[in-house]
Amino acid sequence: MKVSMTVNGQQRTDEVEPRLLLAHYLREVCGLKATNIGCDTTSCGACTVVVDGLTVKSCTVLAAQADGAQVTTLEGLAGPDGELHPVQRAFREEHGLQCGFCTPGMVMAAIGVLADNPDPSDREVREGLEGNLCRCTGYHNIVRAVRTAAQAGPTAGQVPQAQEVQA
Amino acid sequence: MSILGTRVVRTEDPLFLTRGATYTDDLVDDRLTGALHATFVRSQVAHGRLLSVDASAAREAPGVVAVFTAEDCTDLAPIPAGLPMVPPAMIRPWLATDAVRFVGDIVAVVLTEERYQGEDAAELVSVDVDPLPAVVTTADSARDEVLLFPEAGTNVMAAFGEPAPEDFFVGCEVVVTQRMVNQRVAPVPLETRAAAAAWGEDGRVTIWCTNQGAQQAKGEIAGWLGLDPARVHLVTPDVGGGFGAKIGADPEYAFVAWLAQQAGRPVRWTESRSENLVGMLHGRGQDQVVTIGGRRDGTIEAYSLVVDQDCGAYPRVGIILPTLTMLMAAATYAFPKVHAQARALATNTTSIGAYRGAGRPEATAAVERSIDLFAAEIGMDPAEVRRKNLVPAFSEPHTTPSGATYDSGEYVAALDKALEAAGYAELRAEQTRRRERGDVRQLGIGLSTYVEITGADTGLGAAESAELEVHPDGTATVLTGTSPHGQGHATAWAMLASDQLGIPVEKITVLHGDTDRIPRGGGTMGSRSLQQGGAAVHQAATELIEVAKQRAAEQLEADPADLQVDLTSAGLSVRGTPGAGITFAQLAEKEPLVVQTRFEAAAPTFPFGAHVAVVEVDVESGKAELQRLVAVDDAGVIVNPLLAEGQRHGGFAQGVAQALLEEVLYDADGNPQTSTLADYPFVSATELPSFELVDMATPTPINPLGAKGIGEAGTIGSTPAVHNAVIDAVAHLGVRHVDMPTTPMRVWRAIQQAQQEGTH
Amino acid sequence: MIPGPFELVRPGTVEDAVAALVEHGDDAKILAGGHSLLPLMKLRLAMPSVLIDIGRIPGLSYVRVEGDEVAIGAGTRHHELEKDPVAQAEVPILPYVASQVGDPQVRHRGTIGGTVAHSDPASDLPTALLALGGSVVAQGPDGRRSIPVTEFWLGFFETALEPDELVVELRVPRTGSAGWGYEKFTRRANDWPIVAAAAVEGRVALANMAGAVVRATATEEALARGASIEEAAALAAEGTSPSADMHADAEYRQHLARLLTRRALEKAAGAGAAAA
């Protein structure tokens, strides 16, 4: 079947199997390899991307379900001049990543947390990231990074291409 | 001011945060064009006679290029055991032949054009197994009634040590004994196992895989496949976590290389998480009996630890883990007598390997729980019992009754710092108030002290190689034999070179994990990297300066002894002659300015620390929640506090997870109960507080950096502190011990039982 | 892991969706948010040959007052219910319970109709709906019918829906400021409940105490007789037959049912008092 969607601002149309998962569509068809797959059960959140302004786990969405949608992945966050998104910048400053595998999903989920709550407490960040697993950082610096990013203001809870992450 | 000791943010991160790292499954490489996908078919039965494997339907499925079963692989020689004590009858075959021995044992492999076709075809492989009783626990195994390897005549893979002398505890006023479980856990690096292989026209194979040491993995795979090592090029791209479970090659990796040869096409394999949770090595898995004896004044006189190590179905590193547990049995204490003994046992479960701490957390957990049991028995504050028995501060090597020689330590100071930072007296006062009020949420305070061994000789030598080259454009390249997978070596190694050469960190590229470029290397494991790999980079920079001085002396017509490093210009200047000098980059213009070196560590190092955990336990439900974790971790001199703290945080989380949550479970038939992340309770952000770190740095004389390992210490210290805290929270209700993980049901039941016993 | 192959049907109306169900029968499954179904399909515990994607049918997501009831469209996603001002004012237990489902990403996709039709005994929203009372509106080839929630969940993955019926709406009584409590017991925040108890206006429902969500009828009867919360909650496990798994055996689940019922009732009483 044919699906059309806008991925990181680029409109595209592809012929896919109905069962193709959005995560595999992004990785294999679009060649966007930042989005990782860490489990089979919608548990780990490594595959989190933003679809029509909302964070979703792309391993549990069919590409066909995203037909017509606007999709943003980690690759779509930095500005054209390479300027980091506030959440990307904060993850670096606070050492919020180690092996990097959970990071693309964690960054996208963090943007969703900040869209929902622009100035969360530690506890609210932890609850907001309950669907994203990290084995390296113990979450300590991820929580700090999200709180640091919040200081940047509303842009920390938004993705580019004028797609706001809705609460 | 030196860059060392400062919080340099990682040079790795901009790419990781914008394009993502490049893990094995992400590779786009011409050599992998047209790669086939391998899908392993695994046994769904824990133990049984393998009667037949019928792949005929799978062979007809769309996209299937080939299906291999044991009878298609007869020209593969059995995988040699990497460890000397392994009984030959227990060696793992490539594919299950006569028997299946755990859920996850490989019975066939399917090669397909597309990844999705592999799962469809694997479903069509029909495996006929005549089930045998499953050996699930070490107790079942030790009975030797059902044997995994009948030819071996026993399930015992190895035995270490002798029973304690009968009079070992004679004369002690108080003797406490406890059976306890250091449960099996799953390492769960977020990146599952993955490999790719392509053969070149030159007869060499390039293997990409996610692993903690390319050089070791290459040697193993070459050996298993009977290949001249010169024909194997192994690359570890970015690696998404390891935690010990990616040490050494797995048979699947070698298999992928062999399949690529058979098919005449490149082959890729990336396992699913469900496959990973049964196929990748698990960790821990010890059943322990501790006995501790001493006087009522708190002096401990004798301590015994007897271990049954669950090794799973086939011997891997698990077989030697108890030797590390035995080595570290005496821990931080000055016990006059220490006894340790162990057996390594086969069960119909996933094989056990190294997991963050690997043998040492088990030693610490055993002794720290024992101290609390002893303290409870004599009615003394557990902090006081520890203080009375800790080894006093030492700067000359200290040798323990269990045979370890510690380099430097200040255990009492570590404990006191932790207690002070936690506000121990006020915590005890708050605990008393809650107990008096009969609150639903009771407070528990748990302590641990620990010492562990890092940079131990893993059999490949306690040494590491480094190559350092300065280029004419002012950049530099470091080649290291360590194998970072989150630790930040690219940043830290650049800092070490920058510190001596003055070349900015962002101009130094650190390369690793490619056996053609870096033939020698020990990888990253056992918290060895900084103290050996970092020390090698440090040594390389020192040697490079000497080479530069010789070369500069000729060019500047100066005495080498008058040349000194000028960090500002990243070069050399002539002492007493302002303006006379030359940069390292200029010295690299005519001929390469490069050194290769190898740092040999004289001995391992022994980081130590003390943790205080504060938990709240809902005594009506039994649920324990960690409120605080205060940690003193002394790893000697710190090169980059940002990275060292990150290692500690991650270690704490995994340690807490073992105390409170995580456990790999099997039913009585050996069926895994935790084979997805929906079932395996991987610790998430909501179960953890932010951690309270206390700094302490006692340098080691063992290496010029003064650094000890920090990768595993957090895990080792936190588990017993949290475990003790949970039990402490309900101790006033009569609870003496609860095994890990301290699940709500276990804690609730322990309270019920204690109260029933109390009323009788 | 990936689902087995299937044909995807994308109806534009509920009528077309029902027609597709009639055509494909047992081979077909309804796909809404997909957060119950797709995980099962990836593990190949479910292998339908046809998926009917109702996600593109307009007009299935709403929360509105209709007389004494609140009507909720089956396509309403958990996060929409969580934030909905009408739901917050008229039936506040539902937005709270919606906020307790899974994690934010799951709540962005999962729908109330999906979780109702799935009939997992451990699901949050059915537990709250059962405590609220009200009904499930299903549409089949012969039109719509209303099924009381007390008759809807029959067992593990088993409901009163006919194979050719589709959940289109949930109807619950307006509770306004009446007290309510929802106590979910998990080991980790985003786990399924080991046991959960929902209490509202003297009605109590339990998750994971049987093959489907159940009412704690002995507790409700005791409350109706004027028993204290403590006495009534002590009866919460009566007649339940919880399963044993790695988190809890039957005895512990029954203990939790009593404990959580007491706490939910206390919260309901406290919240009611505070609001009054």
Side-chain angles (χ1 to χ4, degrees):
Chain A
M1 63 181 293
K2 263 196 175 31
V3 294
S4 300
M5 63 187 92
T6 306
V7 181
N8 296 333
Q10 287 193 314
Q11 172 70 34
R12 52 181 302 149
T13 300
D14 296 286
E15 184 68 31
V16 302
E17 258 192 284
R19 62 171 166 166
L20 183 68
L21 301 172
L22 179 60
H24 285 131
Y25 173 77
L26 293 169
R27 288 176 55 81
E28 312 295 336
V29 181
C30 305
L32 297 166
K33 307 273 188 176
T35 301
N36 291 318
I37 298 173
C39 75
D40 315 314
T41 46
T42 332
S43 307
C44 80
C47 65
T48 300
V49 300
V50 171
V51 174
D52 287 339
L54 292 169
T55 54
V56 305
K57 294 183 175 178
S58 62
C59 75
T60 311
V61 177
L62 300 174
Q65 288 177 289
D67 188 12
Q70 300 255 344
V71 179
T72 307
T73 71
L74 183 86
E75 292 99 327
L77 292 183
D81 51 355
E83 191 197 349
L84 297 182
H85 184 280
V87 173
Q88 291 174 314
R89 202 164 55 233
F91 267 67
R92 185 177 189 210
E93 283 167 12
E94 300 290 353
H95 188 32
L97 64 155
Q98 292 184 27
C99 85
F101 197 87
C102 76
T103 308
M106 198 65 85
V107 166
M108 302 313 284
I111 292 172
V113 169
L114 293 170
D116 195 39
N117 181 350
D119 191 17
S121 67
D122 278 10
R123 182 45 48 188
E124 287 165 339
V125 173
R126 288 177 183 279
E127 284 167 4
L129 296 177
E130 65 183 332
N132 289 74
L133 300 178
C134 170
R135 203 54 156 174
C136 296
T137 65
Y139 307 100
H140 182 106
N141 283 344
I142 290 174
V143 174
R144 288 171 58 105
V146 178
R147 299 211 50 193
T148 297
Q151 304 310 307
T155 55
Q158 295 164 357
V159 293
Q161 290 106 32
Q163 315 167 43
E164 289 196 5
V165 184
Q166 293 159 14
Chain B
M1 194 190 108
S2 170
I3 193 174
L4 301 187
T6 65
R7 306 172 76 83
V8 177
V9 297
R10 295 205 316 179
T11 56
E12 294 91 329
D13 291 355
L15 190 63
F16 279 30
L17 283 164
T18 54
R19 310 294 302 167
T22 301
Y23 305 105
T24 298
D25 192 59
D26 299 339
L27 285 167
V28 176
D29 190 296
D30 286 345
R31 289 167 287 183
L32 292 172
T33 303
L36 297 169
H37 292 268
T39 305
F40 291 96
V41 180
R42 294 175 183 272
S43 175
Q44 303 295 313
V45 177
H47 194 198
R49 276 184 287 274
L50 183 57
L51 302 178
S52 68
V53 181
D54 179 0
S56 52
R59 288 195 171 101
E60 301 304 315
V64 173
V65 173
V67 182
F68 295 84
T69 66
E71 57 194 45
D72 306 308
C73 306
T74 46
D75 56 333
L76 271 170
I79 303 170
L83 299 162
M85 72 287 284
V86 172
M90 295 185 177
I91 288 173
R92 180 178 187 172
W94 287 92
L95 289 178
T97 46
D98 306 326
V100 292
R101 296 190 180 85
F102 71 104
V103 172
D105 221 350
I106 304 170
V107 291
V109 58
V110 178
L111 284 184
T112 53
E113 297 284 350
E114 304 286 337
R115 188 187 301 238
Y116 277 26
Q117 293 164 340
E119 278 189 47
D120 296 342
E123 296 253 305
L124 301 175
V125 176
S126 169
V127 182
D128 192 8
V129 174
D130 178 21
L132 292 167
V135 177
V136 180
T137 65
T138 58
D140 288 346
S141 176
R143 274 194 290 278
D144 273 346
E145 285 166 6
V146 178
L147 298 177
L148 270 77
F149 305 92
E151 282 176 39
T154 176
N155 288 324
V156 178
M157 288 181 169
F160 310 97
E162 302 293 328
E166 276 185 20
D167 60 353
F168 199 67
F169 291 97
V170 169
C172 294
E173 290 173 9
V174 178
V175 178
V176 183
T177 192
Q178 179 69 46
R179 186 173 290 277
M180 58 179 84
V181 177
N182 201 287
Q183 80 273 24
R184 173 189 285 256
V185 293
V188 206
L190 257 280
E191 184 203 14
T192 59
R193 292 178 300 167
W199 289 80
E201 301 207 337
D202 56 1
R204 296 185 79 221
V205 61
T206 301
I207 301 167
W208 297 263
C209 62
T210 178
N211 193 268
Q212 293 175 228
Q215 295 79 11
Q216 180 188 344
K218 170 193 159 172
E220 289 174 346
I221 291 173
W224 297 347
L225 294 177
L227 293 170
D228 177 350
R231 291 178 63 198
V232 179
H233 176 204
L234 194 139
V235 179
T236 52
D238 290 324
V239 171
F243 312 110
K246 291 179 182 170
I247 297 174
D250 280 350
E252 287 91 339
Y253 293 179
F255 223 128
V256 166
W258 183 81
L259 290 168
Q261 192 175 34
Q262 299 300 306
R265 285 171 65 178
V267 172
R268 308 184 75 138
W269 170 66
T270 300
E271 70 182 347
S272 69
R273 179 62 64 191
S274 309
E275 184 176 16
N276 172 266
L277 281 166
V278 298
M280 181 184 243
L281 297 172
H282 292 161
R284 312 281 190 265
Q286 288 190 1
D287 292 305
Q288 304 173 329
V289 177
V290 293
T291 312
I292 188 165
R295 294 205 296 267
R296 293 212 167 267
D297 68 358
T299 310
I300 291 157
E301 295 168 315
Y303 171 69
S304 163
L305 171 62
V306 178
V307 174
D308 275 345
Q309 172 74 52
D310 180 353
C311 292
Y314 299 103
R316 292 287 297 267
V317 175
I319 194 170
I320 57 163
L321 288 181
T323 61
L324 278 167
T325 310
M326 292 165 69
L327 179 68
M328 297 310 294
T332 49
Y333 299 102
F335 302 154
K337 288 196 289 182
V338 176
H339 163 257
Q341 185 193 357
R343 288 184 295 192
L345 295 156
T347 59
N348 291 118
T349 63
T350 297
S351 291
I352 293 274
Y355 172 56
R356 206 166 194 167
R360 296 101 82 199
E362 297 89 327
T364 305
V367 74
E368 290 301 306
R369 199 71 272 289
S370 299
I371 294 278
D372 268 32
L373 285 162
F374 187 83
E377 188 70 24
I378 63 170
M380 187 177 280
D381 187 307
E384 194 51 37
V385 175
R386 283 179 173 78
R387 218 180 263 116
K388 264 183 188 290
N389 291 284
L390 286 169
V391 177
F394 60 96
S395 51
E396 293 297 311
H398 167 85
T399 299
T400 70
S402 40
T405 300
Y406 302 162
D407 51 346
S408 59
E410 279 208 54
Y411 307 146
V412 180
L415 176 62
D416 286 342
K417 267 175 179 277
L419 293 173
E420 189 191 339
Y424 186 63
E426 173 46 35
L427 286 169
R428 286 286 176 209
E430 169 64 13
Q431 180 182 54
T432 303
R433 287 192 288 274
R434 292 196 195 192
R435 286 180 177 181
E436 284 169 353
R437 288 197 302 260
D439 283 5
V440 170
R441 293 178 76 83
Q442 288 289 330
L443 200 68
I445 306 142
L447 312 180
S448 77
T449 66
Y450 71 87
V451 58
E452 67 128 338
I453 177 169
T454 65
D457 185 342
T458 53
L460 303 168
E464 192 48 272
S465 64
E467 179 178 315
L468 173 60
E469 179 170 8
V470 178
H471 307 288
D473 64 359
T475 64
T477 306
V478 173
L479 304 187
T480 178
T482 64
S483 187
H485 41 285
Q487 295 83 354
H489 296 179
T491 306
W493 286 196
M495 288 169 70
L496 289 165
S498 175
D499 174 57
Q500 292 198 68
L501 303 179
I503 298 170
V505 162
E506 55 274 17
K507 288 191 171 180
I508 302 173
T509 304
V510 178
L511 300 175
H512 62 89
D514 182 321
T515 59
D516 275 8
R517 298 194 67 174
I518 307 161
R520 295 179 83 187
T524 287
M525 58 197 72
S527 300
R528 66 183 294 275
S529 294
L530 177 60
Q531 59 187 302
Q532 291 168 10
V537 174
H538 174 85
Q539 181 170 295
T542 307
E543 292 177 9
L544 185 133
I545 289 167
E546 289 313 308
V547 171
K549 280 181 178 172
Q550 294 303 326
R551 203 176 287 179
E554 288 169 28
Q555 295 194 22
L556 298 174
E557 296 181 346
D559 183 342
D562 289 338
L563 294 171
Q564 62 187 9
V565 174
D566 177 41
L567 292 174
T568 319
S569 65
L572 298 170
S573 61
V574 184
R575 201 172 282 126
T577 312
I582 188 164
T583 65
F584 295 120
Q586 287 168 330
L587 288 168
E589 279 169 8
K590 286 191 186 147
E591 57 175 317
L593 181 57
V594 57
V595 296
Q596 290 176 329
T597 194
R598 189 162 173 82
F599 174 79
E600 303 270 350
T605 61
F606 293 82
F608 61 90
H611 289 194
V612 178
V614 182
V615 304
E616 280 187 357
V617 173
D618 176 337
V619 297
E620 291 181 335
S621 69
K623 184 170 177 176
E625 289 177 355
L626 181 65
Q627 303 295 315
R628 295 175 63 196
L629 184 73
V630 180
V632 175
D633 299 295
D634 189 328
V637 175
I638 300 299
V639 167
N640 183 334
L642 201 63
L643 300 179
E645 288 165 13
Q647 288 299 305
R648 291 165 71 185
H649 298 152
F652 300 155
Q654 288 177 22
V656 172
Q658 190 184 2
L660 293 179
L661 282 167
E662 296 186 17
E663 180 171 29
V664 172
L665 289 168
Y666 291 89
D667 72 9
D669 297 323
N671 297 307
Q673 306 295 289
T674 46
S675 58
T676 70
L677 283 185
D679 293 320
Y680 186 76
F682 186 122
V683 66
S684 81
T686 48
E687 291 78 55
L688 295 167
S690 291
F691 306 112
E692 300 170 50
L693 280 66
V694 182
D695 290 334
M696 181 165 173
T698 307
T700 177
I702 299 296
N703 61 67
L705 302 176
K708 305 184 183 187
I710 191 63
E712 296 160 286
T715 318
I716 293 166
S718 58
T719 302
V722 175
H723 188 198
N724 281 336
V726 174
I727 295 163
D728 182 61
V730 293
H732 65 298
L733 302 174
V735 174
R736 185 171 169 274
H737 180 76
V738 182
D739 269 323
M740 297 190 296
T742 52
T743 64
M745 182 166 71
R746 280 200 182 133
V747 173
W748 175 76
R749 188 144 282 141
I751 295 170
Q752 301 302 305
Q753 281 171 0
Q755 301 210 312
Q756 276 169 17
E757 284 160 19
T759 56
H760 289 307
Chain C
M1 302 184 84
I2 48 108
F6 55 82
E7 182 196 339
L8 187 71
V9 180
R10 301 205 286 191
T13 64
V14 171
E15 288 71 21
D16 288 351
V18 170
L21 275 175
V22 170
E23 182 187 345
H24 297 289
D26 284 346
D27 297 336
K29 278 273 186 193
I30 297 285
L31 176 72
H35 274 49
S36 298
L37 182 59
L38 290 176
L40 290 179
M41 290 176 63
K42 284 166 69 182
L43 297 173
R44 306 212 171 191
L45 299 172
M47 288 190 73
S49 57
V50 177
L51 277 194
I52 303 166
D53 177 8
I54 59 169
R56 288 167 196 279
I57 299 177
L60 280 181
S61 172
Y62 55 84
V63 179
R64 57 185 177 234
V65 172
E66 293 184 4
D68 292 340
E69 290 184 318
V70 177
I72 302 163
T76 306
R77 297 190 195 270
H78 303 323
H79 82 103
E80 293 170 332
L81 185 57
E82 184 182 342
K83 309 281 182 193
D84 188 88
V86 173
Q88 285 169 350
E90 300 293 339
V91 57
I93 188 173
L94 282 185
Y96 173 77
V97 172
S99 80
Q100 300 299 297
V101 177
D103 54 53
Q105 295 96 311
V106 168
R107 297 195 287 274
H108 288 153
R109 296 294 300 174
T111 66
I112 192 167
T115 189
V116 162
H118 189 57
S119 190
D120 187 316
S123 28
D124 297 288
L125 280 165
T127 309
L129 291 166
L130 187 60
L132 279 166
S135 54
V136 179
V137 180
Q139 186 162 337
D142 302 325
R144 291 190 169 203
R145 69 173 176 133
S146 187
I147 308 164
V149 287
T150 47
E151 297 165 20
F152 186 78
W153 293 289
L154 303 179
F156 190 69
F157 294 175
E158 194 189 342
T159 68
L161 283 178
E162 295 298 329
D164 53 9
E165 281 183 318
L166 174 70
V167 175
V168 292
E169 188 178 87
L170 289 309
R171 300 183 73 87
V172 297
R174 297 165 67 182
T175 61
S177 61
W180 56 272
Y182 185 69
E183 291 287 312
K184 175 179 184 175
F185 192 80
T186 61
R187 294 181 64 196
R188 300 176 302 164
N190 72 336
D191 282 336
W192 295 81
I194 295 172
V195 177
V200 57
E201 294 188 320
R203 295 182 299 275
V204 176
L206 299 169
N208 231 1
M209 291 300 292
V213 292
V214 291
R215 288 273 279 269
T217 45
T219 296
E220 292 176 354
E221 285 162 15
L223 288 170
R225 284 197 307 269
S228 69
I229 285 176
E230 185 132 17
E231 287 165 348
L235 304 172
E238 275 197 12
T240 61
S241 51
S243 59
D245 60 24
M246 62 186 166
H247 303 299
D249 59 20
E251 183 195 8
Y252 182 59
R253 276 213 163 80
Q254 292 191 324
H255 165 73
L256 287 176
R258 291 187 288 266
L259 175 66
L260 301 176
T261 295
R262 194 192 82 211
R263 290 181 176 178
L265 286 169
E266 283 169 355
K267 269 204 186 136

